[in-house]
């Protein structure tokens, strides 16, 4: 499974929550990867108009409001696709078998239906929702730690 999507969400939350521009080295340390990988992601996010980075100034800042960035926007940007693709179908079915002959069109329809539902869900969740969920999770865990 590709980690670009979750890494991009992580990156965008860091950028959105940082009081000052945050650079690829700092982001990479948090994500647990290398800075060149982050630079590839931030290039795509910058081209999509979500963030900006300027020459001579170290770091990135969010230029689109978190509530205006859907998870589907992020997915499409970093995965470089126009539609969500989660499922692949094996290619070498035996056409002389009744199942082998019919499985691809049946699964194609079912898989596309599921992918469309996931797309709709991703459209309905924003970066702001992710940030709010993160804050809530942190607050709840802080309360639990105080009680222990």
């Amino acid at each position: 499974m590709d980690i670009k999507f979750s890494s991009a969400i992580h990156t965008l939350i860091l950028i959105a929550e940082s009081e000052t521009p945050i650079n690829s080295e700092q982001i990479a340390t948090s994500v647990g990867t290398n800075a060149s990988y982050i630079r590839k992601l931030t290039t795509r996010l910058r081209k999509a108009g979500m963030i900006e980075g300027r020459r001579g100034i170290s770091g990135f800042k969010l230029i689109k409001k978190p509530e205006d960035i859907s998870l589907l926007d992020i997915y499409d940007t970093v995965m470089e696709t126009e539609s969500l693709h989660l499922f692949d179908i094996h290619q070498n079915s035996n056409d002389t078998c009744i199942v082998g002959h019919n499985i691809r069109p049946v699964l194609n329809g079912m898989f596309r239906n599921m992918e469309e539902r996931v797309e709709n869900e991703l459209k309905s969740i924003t970066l702001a929702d992710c940030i709010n969920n993160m804050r809530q999770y942190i607050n709840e865990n802080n309360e639990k730690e105080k009680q222990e």
Side-chain angles (χ1 to χ4, degrees), residues 18-33:
S18 180
E19 293 178 12
T20 59
I22 186 168
N23 66 38
S24 56
E25 293 287 339
Q26 294 166 310
I27 296 167
T29 298
S30 180
V31 174
T33 190

Side-chain angles (χ1 to χ4, degrees), residues 106-143:
V106 170
L107 289 180
N108 271 331
M110 292 171 58
F111 289 174
R112 188 64 210 136
N113 185 289
M114 288 184 272
E115 289 167 342
E116 286 172 0
R117 290 194 309 243
V118 172
E119 281 179 357
N120 288 330
E121 185 71 17
L122 291 175
K123 279 182 200 172
S124 72
I125 302 170
T126 67
L127 182 62
D129 295 325
C130 294
I131 292 168
N132 291 333
N133 288 344
M134 174 81 65
R135 288 177 182 161
Q136 182 179 351
Y137 182 82
I138 290 167
N139 289 336
E140 287 172 1
N141 279 331
N142 286 341
E143 287 299 316

Side-chain angles (χ1 to χ4, degrees), residues 2-112:
D2 199 306
I3 61 165
K4 284 188 287 243
F5 182 48
S6 65
S7 296
I9 295 169
H10 187 142
T11 296
L12 287 169
I13 292 173
L14 276 171
I15 293 169
E17 292 292 277
S18 180
E19 293 178 12
T20 59
I22 186 168
N23 66 38
S24 56
E25 293 287 339
Q26 294 166 310
I27 296 167
T29 298
S30 180
V31 174
T33 190
N34 61 61
S36 65
Y37 180 78
I38 296 301
R39 284 191 286 277
K40 289 176 187 173
L41 288 179
T42 54
T43 296
R44 293 176 184 170
L45 297 169
R46 186 180 47 74
K47 286 180 181 176
M50 294 179 198
I51 63 173
E52 75 174 357
R54 297 189 201 143
R55 288 181 183 242
I57 299 174
S58 180
F60 301 97
K61 74 175 201 175
L62 205 63
I63 57 173
K64 207 170 180 185
K65 293 178 183 176
E67 56 271 14
D68 294 335
I69 302 172
S70 76
L71 292 187
L72 186 60
D73 295 333
I74 299 167
Y75 180 89
D76 289 344
T77 296
V78 298
M79 300 306 287
E80 299 182 302
T81 182
E82 292 188 19
S83 67
L84 185 92
H85 182 75
L86 299 175
F87 307 109
D88 286 320
I89 300 172
H90 55 290
Q91 298 298 311
N92 298 318
S93 301
N94 183 343
D95 276 344
T96 62
C97 169
I98 189 80
V99 175
H101 183 73
N102 295 291
I103 194 69
R104 292 184 78 215
V106 170
L107 289 180
N108 271 331
M110 292 171 58
F111 289 174
R112 188 64 210 136

